[in-house]
Amino acid sequence: MLTSVSDAFAADLRARLPAAAFKGDTARYAETPRGGATGQVGLVVAPGSTEEVAEVVRAAGAAGVPVIPYGGGTGLVTGQIAPEGPAPLILSLERMTAVRAVYPAENVLVAEAGAILADVQAAAEEAERLFPLSLAAEGSARIGGLLGTNAGGVNVLRYGNARELCLGLEAVLPDGSVWHGLKRLRKDNTGYDLKGLLVGSEGTLGVITAASLRLFPRPAAEGTAVMAVPDPEAALALLALVNEKAGATVSAFELISGTGPRFLAETMPEVRLPFAEPPDWMVLIDLGVGAGQDPGELLEGIFAEAFERDLVTDGLVAQSEQQRAEFWHMRESIPEANKRIGAISSHDISIPLSRIPDFVRRGPEVLAALGDYRINCFGHLGDGNLHYNCFPMPGESRDDRLDEKAAVQREVHDLVDEFDGSISAEHGIGRLKAADLQRYGDPAKLAAMRAIKDALDPQGIMNPGAVLPLR
Amino acid sequence: MLTSVSDAFAADLRARLPAAAFKGDTARYAETPRGGATGQVGLVVAPGSTEEVAEVVRAAGAAGVPVIPYGGGTGLVTGQIAPEGPAPLILSLERMTAVRAVYPAENVLVAEAGAILADVQAAAEEAERLFPLSLAAEGSARIGGLLGTNAGGVNVLRYGNARELCLGLEAVLPDGSVWHGLKRLRKDNTGYDLKGLLVGSEGTLGVITAASLRLFPRPAAEGTAVMAVPDPEAALALLALVNEKAGATVSAFELISGTGPRFLAETMPEVRLPFAEPPDWMVLIDLGVGAGQDPGELLEGIFAEAFERDLVTDGLVAQSEQQRAEFWHMRESIPEANKRIGAISSHDISIPLSRIPDFVRRGPEVLAALGDYRINCFGHLGDGNLHYNCFPMPGESRDDRLDEKAAVQREVHDLVDEFDGSISAEHGIGRLKAADLQRYGDPAKLAAMRAIKDALDPQGIMNPGAVLPLR
């Protein structure tokens, strides 16, 4: 039986840890970026060392107090707040931010869980290496949270998701023991993949305190193009062509429906759009090439062949770093424009690549039964990962139609399920999708997950209610 | 309490499954490629479908009979035989060999667990795609076993190990339930990474029956070079240079000590050696490049710069497909030459890349206390993975010195541990290294592994004694 943080528990912890570990202003730990629910906050503790993290977890275990491991607070599925149940201890890693070591010759960097992604990217760059994890929240997201949620982003196509970028972990397990697993080995078959299990477990199986991360050589040159395509079929054919022509140098392949640029024009007119008239569909292609290759030439060759084959109707290859940055700025401003328009329901889904055109056709059909929506379908096409967001019609307010949210989500997720896709491609399950996971998940896998959770965290203190329902 | 396969159990199973599922000649299931121990064989069953696999597992669970999931039988750590304990049921996947589907546009192939690696490679090639898993036993190793042991091989550097090549699984869990997890998604954050957990669990957590696997575009052209290097330091500096110049096109970077070619000259004189006088150290570099790149030119440029910097003393860039094949044939014949010489003790280890030169220096020093050995140190330097094998001196027989095996292994593994390496880089733990895993493994990780094993397989029927010790 779990219990709220009590005064006695807080006093006990204060006696054991330095004063610096306790945060006064705790309001921000109750909120999430997309708003909505508010979390309860029993106490916020920010340990300064792995041993202190272990001490906190042991104390929570002894008292039966729930623990929410807390990174940058940027998660989108309410995994970092507990609106219900006993008031939890928020265990923030924000004071463990060190890059402990960089091994350029090994292409490895060891960072503490509280290190901010942008700082890790910068430390890699300083060593003339690339840490390729890249996403909108990189200025505030922390390594522990990024690993805890198996973050994705724009470069998964080439470099893999957070799990694939992690070689080893140091973590405090639910019983308060410390796993010293900061190996920096590319091959290590000594037992079960505990690293892969903790990565993506969203704080329900332990607290990541540090990680050894894979670095890569920096590309010698980078190039970016935007190309207007007639439809998602053409986008897929273009992806195949890009893979064939540019192979392992393709860093990103993003699909952008015309809704995105139209929303930008409406809400953020300062963002420069590549085409005067937003095409119904466009793609953004990013290449990072080796010495002696010219990314611009490659992209122009691809465009020429694609044009010949009617896969593209228009296109621009960035002629300068500034233009590259503009293309990317356009792509990365779409989430903010979405926010300003106000979605009724947003979905982070993935679909088997070859079925995406059919999915994109079917989506509006199934939603038509519920009402009229503007759909912004965009995302990491190279990974089959779409952000499929449904908005009210022009002139309507999101708030007037929020009662449709559950039905819209059900329709979209039912369709995703029918297409053998995933209802959470990169954001995770958190609390927002915990019921949906029970609904759509494979029963044998769900039973195995529950057995693993109960085995490693028999008291259920670690982030209760996230991923798996409360018992 | 586990029990041997009984006549009653066998009769019951025969009544439930088609006659074709039962193998008459069972002797080969008792042996492993490196010889030594002989396994007990209670019964060999080769189901024809996933449902039959589930039936077998359920029957074994009801009777408390141990089950060894069996692939191609090529494992090197005695994971596929049980020399001790109750006589097990060997559950062979050899009759489930279908490539169920190929999705070229998605770069995905779905194969049953009994499919032989070479057949999967061929099916990918037929679809103009590459399945990059490649290792010496590819003509007989089966997908289920390759995943069960998280196989490595020569292309891990570029494409990852078996776990990273696997997008989804279908598996029978120890309770006989079937997990239908054959997703073909690059991003799927719906709960714990059960796929990653089963991959590499060596049949102790369930039986893989099918997998969806990642394919890649085939390189437009491939090139191979062998270069003589003065020492492992130079080999590492050359690796850095190759990464810088050839970036993402490097498919393999193999280190070969002079011992290998000398063994080849002695035992397999028909194998062509690249240099008249075997250098103390050489590397084999393999590139797979995109359209418009010339791998030979790239390799020659690398050689020129490396020669300038005294990183190489000699080198050959393959001038034809035949010469490429010769270089690789030399590399891939080394294990056979080792076998003919006869090792006292062989080790599959990995070491943090930058510490390898120091490790290579220290090895002979620590072994000198035990006696004189010829050391063949070779392997996948790009992954930090060395095969470190110790042989008797010329004129001596391996059999005369087998009593040193345990001491040699202890010295080598102690040194690996001191260097923060892994005592099993790619071969797995099996039964051969189960005690060493207990010795060198992190206690918190071992406890978590045991908890997971007990949670998913409370009876302990799945491959008991492999990875974790018998209770």
Side-chain angles (χ1 to χ4, degrees), chain B residues 10-26 43-48 52 56 94-95:
Chain B
D12 176 54
L13 217 51
R14 281 178 196 279
R16 295 202 217 181
L17 296 180
F22 296 89
K23 311 299 292 182
D25 178 18
T26 63
L43 183 69
V44 180
V45 182
E52 286 182 16
V56 170
E94 68 200 79
R95 289 180 60 240

Side-chain angles (χ1 to χ4, degrees), chain A residues 417-470:
Chain A
D417 192 49
E418 185 190 324
F419 275 75
D420 213 11
S422 167
I423 58 159
S424 175
E426 59 178 8
H427 293 171
I429 297 297
R431 288 171 179 80
L432 208 58
K433 294 183 179 176
D436 269 1
L437 180 57
Q438 292 296 311
R439 178 178 181 82
Y440 299 105
D442 177 87
K445 177 174 173 179
L446 289 172
M449 284 173 55
R450 172 56 77 184
I452 291 166
K453 167 72 174 174
D454 289 348
L456 296 182
D457 181 18
Q459 283 184 279
I461 59 167
M462 298 306 305
N463 208 2
V467 186
L468 290 167
L470 284 171

